[in-house]
Amino acid sequence: MSLPHATSGQLIDIRPLGTQLSSAPSRAILKSQGLELMRMVLPAGKTVAEHQVPGEITIQCLEGRIELSAHGNRQVLRGGDMVYLEGGVPHALHAQEDASLLVTILLTRGT
Amino acid sequence: MSLPHATSGQLIDIRPLGTQLSSAPSRAILKSQGLELMRMVLPAGKTVAEHQVPGEITIQCLEGRIELSAHGNRQVLRGGDMVYLEGGVPHALHAQEDASLLVTILLTRGT
């Protein structure tokens, strides 16, 4: 399912998916000049191996429970928790429950 | 109340303030090289007059109800709604209920 990206001024729904979560795909929300937004859906047990992106990011847990590993620490994010990471910081994710995340990535010049 | 800014990897709680909302101040969450995050608390009836910032922004309603005017439209944001605005877009806010917002501002070079 490919939905059009949001445009300036358009309402974006980032409520928890609830009963729809287990069948929902991850999806891009927006890609602008400086910013990329996506809702990442992670089923329970899913791991995103350690990686890094050039730009600063925020990871906001919208629902469920994920473990974030970064800066040598592991911590659990539940709905309403968010974390900011500087650009280039290696991090990994593991879903302890079905979860969805709002991921915001600052695009660096040249990417 | 001046709380220290969040640092990379630190857990940030952006849950609704609920019964604390009516007495809570707005507060800065983070200011990094490229990004500024704040929780803006708007009591019912409060208006933020039309203004603009150089960088792109997102406005996420965490709780309550606000009316956003931008691009010649008025629309209502409730908890779980967000809007992206390009840099330099004039916008105004009016709280229809006590509300709190997560405001994310991309800092442009030179600001």
Side-chain angles (χ1 to χ4, degrees):
Chain A
M1 183 175 60
S2 177
L3 297 176
H5 283 195
T7 57
S8 182
Q10 187 184 336
L11 208 62
I12 303 166
D13 184 349
I14 55 162
R15 289 174 180 76
L17 295 168
T19 56
Q20 309 297 315
L21 177 59
S22 61
S23 60
S26 294
R27 80 171 193 88
I29 295 173
L30 172 81
K31 188 164 182 176
S32 70
Q33 188 182 357
L35 196 61
E36 190 169 353
L37 290 180
M38 73 184 81
R39 187 195 284 253
M40 180 180 289
V41 175
L42 293 178
K46 174 85 174 180
T47 292
V48 178
E50 188 173 88
H51 65 289
Q52 62 194 72
V53 293
E56 301 169 73
I57 64 174
T58 62
I59 298 171
Q60 179 183 343
C61 186
L62 299 173
E63 62 198 310
R65 203 173 72 214
I66 60 149
E67 184 185 74
L68 169 71
S69 303
H71 292 294
N73 292 318
R74 291 181 184 189
Q75 55 193 343
V76 173
L77 280 69
R78 297 177 174 80
D81 288 322
M82 79 182 293
V83 167
Y84 158 79
L85 292 175
E86 293 167 351
V89 173
H91 58 282
L93 298 169
H94 176 73
Q96 295 182 335
E97 294 175 355
D98 290 351
S100 80
L101 312 173
L102 178 67
V103 181
T104 301
I105 303 175
L106 266 68
L107 301 175
T108 52
R109 300 297 186 271
T111 59
Chain B
M1 184 173 62
S2 178
L3 297 176
H5 283 195
T7 57
S8 182
Q10 186 184 336
L11 207 63
I12 303 166
D13 184 349
I14 55 162
R15 289 174 180 77
L17 295 168
T19 57
Q20 308 298 313
L21 177 59
S22 61
S23 60
S26 294
R27 81 171 191 89
I29 295 173
L30 171 82
K31 189 165 183 175
S32 70
Q33 186 182 358
L35 197 61
E36 189 168 354
L37 291 180
M38 73 183 81
R39 186 196 284 252
M40 181 181 288
V41 174
L42 293 177
K46 174 86 175 179
T47 292
V48 178
E50 188 173 87
H51 65 290
Q52 62 194 73
V53 294
E56 302 170 72
I57 64 172
T58 63
I59 298 170
Q60 178 182 342
C61 186
L62 299 173
E63 63 199 308
R65 201 172 74 214
I66 59 151
E67 184 185 73
L68 170 71
S69 303
H71 292 294
N73 292 317
R74 291 181 184 190
Q75 55 193 342
V76 173
L77 281 69
R78 296 177 175 80
D81 288 322
M82 78 183 294
V83 167
Y84 158 79
L85 293 176
E86 293 167 351
V89 172
H91 59 283
L93 298 169
H94 176 72
Q96 294 182 336
E97 293 176 356
D98 290 350
S100 79
L101 311 173
L102 179 68
V103 180
T104 301
I105 304 174
L106 266 69
L107 301 176
T108 52
R109 300 297 185 271
T111 58

